[in-house]
Amino acid sequence: MRRTQVHAALAALAVTAAMLPAAAHAATSATTSAASPPAGPETAGRRPGQAAPGALATAHTAGRVEAAGRSVRYSWPGVYFEGRFRGTGVGIVLDDAVNDYEVQIDGATVATLVTPGRTTHWVRNLRNGVHAVRLVKRSESPWAVGEFGGFVAAPGGAILPRPADRRRQIEFIGDSYTAGYGNMSGTRDCPAPGQIDRTTNADVSFGAITARGLGADYQINAFSGRGVVRNYNGIEPGTDYRTYYDRALIGVPGDVWKNPGTWHPQLIVIGLGINDFSTAINPGEPWTPETLVAAYKSAYHGFIDKLRSRYGKQAMIVVSATYMSNTTAFADAARQIVQDRNRRGDDRVRYWYYDNTDLDYGGCDWHPSAHDHKIISQRLGDFIATLPLRW
C-alpha cells in the first residue's frame, strides 16, 4: 500500500469503538423469531422455555466472562457460547443493545442479530433431533457490555449437557487487525454511523479461522487503536493496551478477569505495534524515535514476563509483525525482542512476520478484508505447523 493508504487505514485505529445503541432489532430468517425472555424460576430439570440455573450450566465458552446473577457479562470481541439441544428449536437469552451476533446451528449461520436488545431470540422449525447451537459476538465494544442468559429449549425439547472444553487453546492478543475491524465491508470508505460496527466480524478474523481449523478454543483479546506503549497518533496518553489486558470488562477500571481454572493456552499470538509506530511523534509526546523503540521493547519484555508467569514456561508465545510502508520499526523491534528472549534461554518465543502479498486491504479504512483474513490465517497455520507445540 502507498504511505497515504496506510495512514488512512491506521487512522481508524484511533477509534475506540464508542458504539452507540442503534434501533434494537434482530435479523431473522424463516426459521427464526424473537420474543421476550422466559419468565419463571430456575430449575435443575431445565423444563422447556426455562433457562438453566446459570448461563454456563449448559453452555461452553472460553471467553472472558463475569457472572451477573444467572447471566454472564463480557466485552472482548469474538466471545462465543456453545450448547447442544434436542428438539425443533432453541432460544438464546440476550441483553445487548450495542453489539452484533452470529447465530449458528449445526455449523451454519442462521441469523445475524444486530443490536438485539433484551430478548430471547428463537430458532424454530428445525428437524426434530439433536443439534448444536453457537452464539458469537461479532463486533468490538470496549465501552459497552453484553449479557448472555443461556440457552432455552422449545416446547417438547431439552437443553443437553454442555459441550466439553477443547484440549487445544489459543489466545490472540492485538489491535484492530486481530479484532477483524471492518473486514466484511464492501468498501474501504465507511463514514456512515454504525457502518464499522456492522461490518466488523471477529468470527471471520484470522485468529478465529485459525483456531477453528486446529480444533482449538480461543480468546480474541483485541482492542483497536492500542499499542504496547503508544496508542495511534498519541491518543489517550497514559494508557495503552496493557492498561486493559487484565480486565474482563474492558471499560471498567479496576476490573480483573478471574480465570476459572480452565484457561491454559498452549499458544499465545501477539500482534501489537502498528499503533506504536505508524504515525509521527507529536509535539509534547515524551519520545524520540529512538526512545520510543526502547520503551516499546522494554514494555513488551515485561508483558511477555507476565504471560510467562500466568501460563508457564511451556506456553509458545508468537511475537508477530506485519508490513508497514512507512517504517520498518515495528518489524525490527519485534524481531529484536524475540532474539533477546532466545539469547536469555527462552526458546519458546518465536517471531512471525506476514507481508502484504496478495492482500487487498479492502476492509473499512484499508484494513484487512475477510479475503485477507483467510490468507493471513493460512500463513499463520503454516507457521504454527513448524512449532514444537505440546498439545
Side-chain angles (χ1 to χ4, degrees):
M1 292 189 295
R2 297 190 301 271
R3 183 186 300 266
T4 55
Q5 294 170 338
V6 172
H7 281 212
L10 294 168
L13 303 184
V15 179
T16 56
M19 302 175 182
L20 301 176
H25 67 282
T28 60
S29 72
T31 60
T32 63
S33 62
S36 299
E42 300 174 3
T43 63
R46 302 187 300 278
R47 294 196 302 270
Q50 291 183 321
L56 300 187
T58 53
H60 162 68
T61 187
R64 294 185 174 191
V65 300
E66 286 189 354
R70 74 179 194 182
S71 300
V72 290
R73 305 171 74 214
Y74 44 86
S75 59
W76 292 97
V79 173
Y80 58 89
F81 303 94
E82 298 171 327
R84 298 170 63 247
F85 64 96
R86 183 178 63 251
T88 60
V90 65
I92 301 166
V93 181
L94 274 171
D95 189 356
D96 191 342
V98 172
N99 288 292
D100 296 354
Y101 295 83
E102 298 277 84
V103 177
Q104 298 162 358
I105 300 293
D106 300 329
T109 297
V110 298
T112 298
L113 311 183
V114 178
T115 62
R118 186 172 185 268
T119 187
T120 297
H121 182 85
W122 288 96
V123 180
R124 305 183 189 273
N125 302 325
L126 301 171
R127 173 188 53 81
N128 193 11
V130 174
H131 300 278
V133 56
R134 183 173 186 265
L135 174 77
V136 58
K137 178 176 178 281
R138 289 171 46 126
S139 48
E140 188 180 2
S141 60
W143 313 122
V145 174
E147 189 166 322
F148 170 68
F151 299 119
V152 294
I159 301 298
L160 301 176
R162 65 187 295 277
D165 296 342
R166 295 173 178 86
R167 182 171 55 87
R168 295 179 173 182
Q169 297 179 337
I170 308 175
E171 182 168 335
F172 296 94
I173 293 169
D175 49 35
S176 59
Y177 276 38
T178 302
Y181 177 107
N183 57 357
M184 301 296 290
S185 178
T187 176
R188 298 182 181 99
D189 186 20
C190 300
Q195 188 173 358
I196 293 169
D197 304 346
R198 304 291 83 80
T199 59
T200 293
N201 188 350
D203 202 43
V204 294
S205 66
F206 69 84
I209 297 169
T210 302
R212 288 196 300 270
L214 291 168
D217 273 326
Y218 61 93
Q219 292 182 357
I220 299 177
N221 298 324
F223 192 169
S224 290
R226 279 11 190 215
V228 176
V229 294
R230 180 179 185 254
N231 301 324
Y232 176 78
N233 202 30
I235 64 168
E236 299 187 19
T239 70
D240 52 56
Y241 178 86
R242 297 170 299 145
T243 306
Y244 307 97
Y245 172 72
D246 288 330
R247 302 179 186 178
L249 306 180
I250 304 172
V252 180
D255 185 62
V256 176
W257 177 60
K258 297 176 178 62
N259 190 329
T262 57
W263 185 246
H264 305 286
Q266 302 98 334
L267 176 62
I268 301 111
V269 180
I270 311 172
L272 290 169
I274 293 175
N275 296 300
D276 295 270
F277 299 114
S278 62
T279 57
I281 297 169
N282 298 309
E285 290 192 75
W287 295 293
T288 66
E290 294 75 22
T291 60
L292 177 59
V293 169
Y296 174 86
K297 290 165 65 176
S298 176
Y300 212 129
H301 278 298
F303 188 58
I304 293 176
D305 290 341
K306 170 183 281 195
L307 296 174
R308 274 279 171 258
S309 175
R310 179 170 297 181
Y311 297 132
K313 64 181 182 180
Q314 294 304 316
M316 183 67 68
I317 298 174
V318 174
V319 174
S320 75
T322 190
Y323 169 81
M324 295 171 62
S325 71
N326 60 327
T327 181
T328 63
F330 175 25
D332 293 343
R335 185 185 301 106
Q336 291 163 12
I337 288 165
V338 174
Q339 292 171 347
D340 290 344
R341 303 298 296 198
N342 295 164
R343 279 195 294 266
R344 297 175 192 176
D346 187 352
D347 65 351
R348 295 186 72 78
V349 178
R350 302 295 176 89
Y351 175 70
W352 174 58
Y353 175 85
Y354 63 95
D355 64 20
N356 64 339
T357 306
D358 297 327
L359 304 184
D360 60 32
Y361 297 96
C364 283
D365 304 303
W366 289 88
H367 277 68
S369 64
H371 162 272
D372 295 347
H373 279 272
K374 290 179 182 178
I375 293 174
I376 297 167
S377 173
Q378 180 63 55
R379 294 175 184 172
L380 177 57
D382 291 343
F383 177 76
I384 291 172
T386 70
L387 300 176
L389 283 163
R390 300 169 185 175
W391 60 9

